Amino acid sequence: MSSGRTMIHGAVLSIAGMAVSMAAVLVIGKVLTNSLPQHDVGTFTLLILGADLLLILNNFGLYTALPKLVSAAREEERPGLITSVLGVQALISLALGGALLVAWMAAGDPARYAANPNWRHLFPYLWALAPLMLFATQRDSAMGATAGLNRYAHRAAAIGVASIVQMFLVSLLLWGLGLGLNALLIGTILSYAVGAAASFAGLPRLRLADVQWRRYRDAVRFSWPLHWNNLLSFTTQRLDSLLLFWLLDPAIAAGAVATYEMAKRVPGAISRLLSAALVPYLPGISERIAQGDREGAARLLHRTLSLVAFLSYCGVLALLAVEQPVIRLLFSEDYLPMTAVLWALLAGTCLAVQSGIVGLSIVALGRPGAMTLLNIATASVSVLGNLLLLPHYGMAGAGWAYVVAVGFGAVTQSAYVLYLGLAVPLRALILPQVFLAAALALRWWYDATLWSGAAALALFVALSLGTGVMRPKEFRELARAMRPRTRGG
């Protein structure tokens, strides 16, 4: 199978697995918002946020780097590399998790040192951070390795199985049995463990005797800049919820976090689908660059950006046209205030995915350190924007800060990849953003009705096709590449 066809089939399989995961996440959001008070929903989302941060801190960028490291290694070296990375990583995660549990048990009554009632409510559930972090780290590391092995079908199946298990357990424990937050956390931990086990099942036979510190050390040396990129991306895309919890009045902070994090689930679903489709992108562009095919790499970047921008922005505009019924369907009437920020989160997430594509191209060009510097600047803009806007405008301020930060990141990364010699037409980088802004302006001008939303979508499609930013040929080529090969082909 050709490299391009492998990428397409890998993307389709990844999308299939993530589509199941996306559906599960939305069902879980419905269960949470209809079974728990907003205060408990806010607590749960903060715990998941904390576990995600711990995953990044103790993984050193390995889950991001493994697709490239494994695919670049000789076939006979891959099992030893994977075993070494996952084995040493497990020891590090166990040590960190044990230290967190000891610290939590030794802390005693939080009322002695915490005046904020929201912190006192959160403290009894901090035990869950250690197992959530442990299983999430092993799951994501194993998934990175399966991507490097081009085992996209197994990766998709592992994602789907874990998501279905989590959806079943959460629905049973909350809706079926009417249990509370501790039961929800236990169900989530079990689903993470299932995801880790399913991901490991797709790897070659791993033997403890093959674990070598040298291999792990060399992998971390490569992934270290990506570690900082992941941490900085967390600062840009996730820290705003923690700032909401910290900066807003305690009487409304937990409810605001619950509403804001549930609002993030909608663009998060889009982001996860797009990211799943892009799993084969880094190995694909890395192969072209390694072969000296800069023109082919630039063409791949151009086509990928155009397709992602067009499809994701069409999805955003279609969703915004019916946002209130969608919010009632996915959550409840109590979460309608998220309309103030949903547009910004949707547009910003799609722009962040495009920025991520450019960032992967910079990594493939062998400049991961430069990505760190660019992400430091983007994260700084994000934190500054949140500190300035969030206290005055709440969730809406956080949304504006997010759009500004990811826009800044997209501009700086695009400028740098052009400087490195990937000749992507400027119009492909700029025009989709201009067309989206025009469509959103039309929607707002007519008070965000269903008809104005439909007109905004039609305007965006007409501008994109009329200017050649997106061509029908792209869809025909995509459909042709997705068709299974015949025996004679």
Side-chain angles (χ1 to χ4, degrees):
M1 184 177 288
S2 69
S3 171
R5 190 176 291 272
T6 298
M7 285 186 62
I8 293 293
H9 279 274
V12 171
L13 290 169
S14 296
I15 289 173
M18 198 53 69
V20 176
S21 176
M22 179 190 73
V25 165
L26 296 177
V27 170
I28 290 167
K30 179 70 172 179
V31 174
L32 291 179
T33 54
N34 286 263
S35 303
L36 294 175
Q38 280 194 336
H39 204 282
D40 282 353
V41 175
T43 298
F44 176 73
T45 56
L46 285 170
L47 290 167
I48 297 299
L49 197 62
D52 289 346
L53 176 58
L54 290 170
L55 184 161
I56 294 171
L57 289 173
N58 95 111
N59 187 249
F60 309 116
L62 287 169
Y63 69 87
T64 306
L66 275 170
K68 178 176 174 60
L69 290 172
V70 173
S71 64
R74 292 198 299 270
E75 186 140 1
E76 65 273 15
E77 294 178 346
R78 289 175 177 177
L81 169 63
I82 295 169
T83 302
S84 298
V85 170
L86 296 181
V88 177
Q89 180 63 70
L91 293 176
I92 292 172
S93 297
L94 284 169
L96 176 59
L100 289 171
L101 285 173
V102 169
W104 175 70
M105 290 186 290
D109 184 3
R112 293 180 300 163
Y113 45 83
N116 190 321
N118 291 324
W119 164 249
R120 294 200 298 269
H121 180 78
L122 178 66
F123 182 84
Y125 304 102
L126 292 180
W127 64 268
L129 287 175
L132 285 170
M133 175 271 299
L134 172 64
F135 290 122
T137 302
Q138 291 302 109
R139 176 199 65 199
D140 287 8
S141 298
M143 283 186 180
T146 56
L149 294 168
N150 287 330
R151 296 182 178 178
Y152 298 113
H154 188 95
R155 186 178 185 276
I159 292 171
V161 167
S163 301
I164 291 170
V165 168
Q166 184 178 12
M167 181 175 63
F168 170 77
L169 288 174
V170 170
S171 300
L172 174 66
L173 294 171
L174 293 186
W175 262 351
L177 301 178
L179 302 179
L181 191 49
N182 270 316
L184 169 62
L185 290 169
I186 292 171
T188 304
I189 291 166
L190 288 174
S191 70
Y192 278 28
V194 169
S199 300
F200 268 76
L203 299 176
R205 186 165 174 262
L206 306 181
R207 301 183 305 173
L208 288 178
D210 291 336
V211 174
Q212 293 184 19
W213 167 255
R214 176 183 57 81
R215 285 172 169 162
Y216 178 82
R217 180 198 61 203
D218 291 345
V220 170
R221 280 179 177 169
F222 176 84
S223 68
W224 188 249
L226 299 177
H227 166 63
W228 288 103
N229 291 336
N230 291 337
L231 188 58
L232 292 165
S233 294
F234 181 93
T235 301
T236 303
Q237 300 177 24
R238 309 289 301 280
L239 189 66
D240 46 8
S241 293
L242 295 177
L243 291 174
L244 272 172
F245 187 74
W246 176 41
L247 294 174
L248 294 187
D249 188 318
I252 62 171
V257 169
T259 302
Y260 191 63
E261 279 292 311
M262 288 301 110
K264 280 185 173 181
R265 292 205 166 204
V266 181
I270 295 175
S271 175
R272 291 171 74 174
L273 276 177
L274 293 173
S275 297
L278 294 169
V279 166
Y281 177 78
L282 180 56
I285 196 168
S286 297
E287 180 183 346
R288 286 163 174 78
I289 290 172
Q291 295 171 349
D293 184 12
R294 288 291 185 103
E295 183 179 342
R299 189 163 54 248
L300 175 61
L301 173 58
H302 176 196
R303 293 179 63 187
T304 304
L305 282 174
S306 296
L307 274 169
V308 167
F310 180 77
L311 294 176
S312 63
Y313 286 158
C314 282
V316 166
L317 292 167
L319 192 57
L320 287 176
V322 291
E323 63 177 344
Q324 291 198 19
V326 167
I327 292 170
R328 292 188 180 95
L329 174 66
L330 296 180
F331 308 108
S332 71
E333 195 83 17
D334 294 337
Y335 288 81
L336 280 176
M338 72 173 63
T339 54
V341 73
L342 186 58
W343 71 269
L345 294 176
L346 285 166
T349 295
C350 295
L351 185 56
V353 172
Q354 295 170 60
S355 180
I357 295 168
V358 178
L360 289 174
S361 305
I362 294 173
V363 172
L365 287 163
R367 304 293 181 91
M371 276 300 303
T372 302
L373 296 177
L374 293 171
N375 283 333
I376 287 173
T378 301
S380 300
V381 170
S382 174
V383 172
L384 180 61
N386 276 290
L387 291 176
L388 291 174
L389 298 174
L390 196 154
H392 301 289
Y393 303 105
M395 286 190 300
W400 276 107
Y402 178 57
V403 171
V404 170
V406 296
F408 174 83
V411 169
T412 53
Q413 291 182 31
S414 298
Y416 189 66
V417 85
L418 291 172
Y419 168 76
L420 292 176
L422 289 190
V424 178
L426 277 175
R427 65 199 307 274
L429 299 170
I430 296 172
L431 288 184
Q433 325 311 328
V434 174
F435 296 161
L436 176 68
L440 288 174
L442 174 63
R443 175 178 176 269
W444 285 326
W445 185 263
Y446 290 100
D447 297 327
T449 64
L450 172 62
W451 296 111
S452 67
L457 175 59
L459 175 64
F460 177 79
V461 172
L463 289 172
S464 298
L465 296 178
T467 58
V469 169
M470 177 55 56
R471 297 170 298 168
K473 175 185 175 183
E474 302 285 348
F475 297 105
R476 289 196 298 271
E477 290 180 355
L478 179 64
R480 190 179 305 119
M482 288 172 60
R483 283 201 298 266
R485 299 179 70 189
T486 63
R487 288 187 180 272

Coordinates of all heavy atoms in Angstrom, one line a residue, residues 6 18 83 146 212 262 316 335 359 392 412 429 480:
T6 N -1.8 4.6 2.8 CA -1.7 4.2 4.2 C -2.1 5.3 5.2 O -2.8 5.1 6.2 CB -0.2 3.9 4.6 OG1 0.2 2.8 3.7 CG2 0.0 3.5 6.0
M18 N -12.3 7.4 17.2 CA -12.5 8.6 18.0 C -14.0 9.0 17.9 O -14.5 9.7 18.8 CB -11.6 9.7 17.4 CG -11.5 10.9 18.4 SD -11.0 10.5 20.1 CE -9.3 10.0 19.7
T83 N 9.3 -1.5 24.9 CA 9.3 -2.1 26.2 C 10.1 -1.2 27.2 O 9.7 -1.0 28.3 CB 10.0 -3.5 26.1 OG1 9.3 -4.3 25.3 CG2 10.1 -4.1 27.5
T146 N 1.5 2.3 19.1 CA 0.7 1.6 18.1 C 0.6 2.5 16.8 O 0.5 1.9 15.7 CB -0.7 1.2 18.6 OG1 -1.4 2.4 19.1 CG2 -0.7 0.2 19.7
Q212 N 15.7 -1.3 29.0 CA 17.0 -0.6 29.0 C 16.9 0.8 29.3 O 16.2 1.6 28.6 CB 17.8 -0.9 27.7 CG 18.2 -2.3 27.5 CD 19.0 -2.4 26.2 OE1 19.6 -1.5 25.8 NE2 19.1 -3.6 25.7
M262 N -18.1 21.9 30.3 CA -19.1 21.2 29.5 C -19.2 21.9 28.1 O -19.3 21.2 27.1 CB -20.5 21.2 30.1 CG -20.6 20.3 31.3 SD -20.3 18.6 31.0 CE -18.8 18.3 31.9
V316 N -18.5 24.0 12.5 CA -18.7 25.0 13.6 C -19.9 25.8 13.2 O -20.8 26.1 14.1 CB -17.4 25.9 13.7 CG1 -17.8 27.2 14.4 CG2 -16.3 25.2 14.4
Y335 N -27.4 24.8 31.5 CA -26.1 25.1 30.8 C -26.3 26.0 29.6 O -25.3 26.2 28.9 CB -25.5 23.8 30.4 CG -25.0 23.0 31.7 CD1 -25.9 22.2 32.4 CD2 -23.7 23.1 32.1 CE1 -25.4 21.6 33.6 CE2 -23.2 22.4 33.2 CZ -24.1 21.6 33.9 OH -23.7 21.0 35.1
G359 N 2.6 23.0 13.5 CA 3.6 22.6 14.6 C 4.2 21.2 14.3 O 5.5 21.0 14.5
H392 N -13.3 40.2 34.7 CA -14.3 41.2 34.4 C -15.4 40.6 33.6 O -16.6 41.0 33.7 CB -13.7 42.3 33.5 CG -12.6 43.1 34.3 ND1 -12.9 43.9 35.3 CD2 -11.3 43.1 34.1 CE1 -11.7 44.4 35.8 NE2 -10.7 43.9 35.1
T412 N 2.4 32.9 14.3 CA 3.9 32.7 14.5 C 4.4 31.4 13.9 O 5.5 31.4 13.3 CB 4.2 32.9 16.0 OG1 3.4 32.0 16.8 CG2 3.9 34.3 16.5
L429 N -3.4 29.9 4.1 CA -3.3 30.1 5.6 C -4.3 31.2 6.1 O -4.8 31.1 7.2 CB -1.9 30.5 5.9 CG -0.8 29.5 5.6 CD1 0.6 30.1 5.8 CD2 -0.9 28.2 6.5
R480 N -11.2 8.9 -3.6 CA -10.5 7.9 -4.4 C -9.5 7.2 -3.5 O -9.3 6.0 -3.6 CB -9.8 8.6 -5.6 CG -9.2 7.6 -6.6 CD -8.6 8.3 -7.8 NE -9.5 9.2 -8.4 CZ -9.3 10.5 -8.5 NH1 -8.3 11.1 -8.0 NH2 -10.2 11.3 -9.1

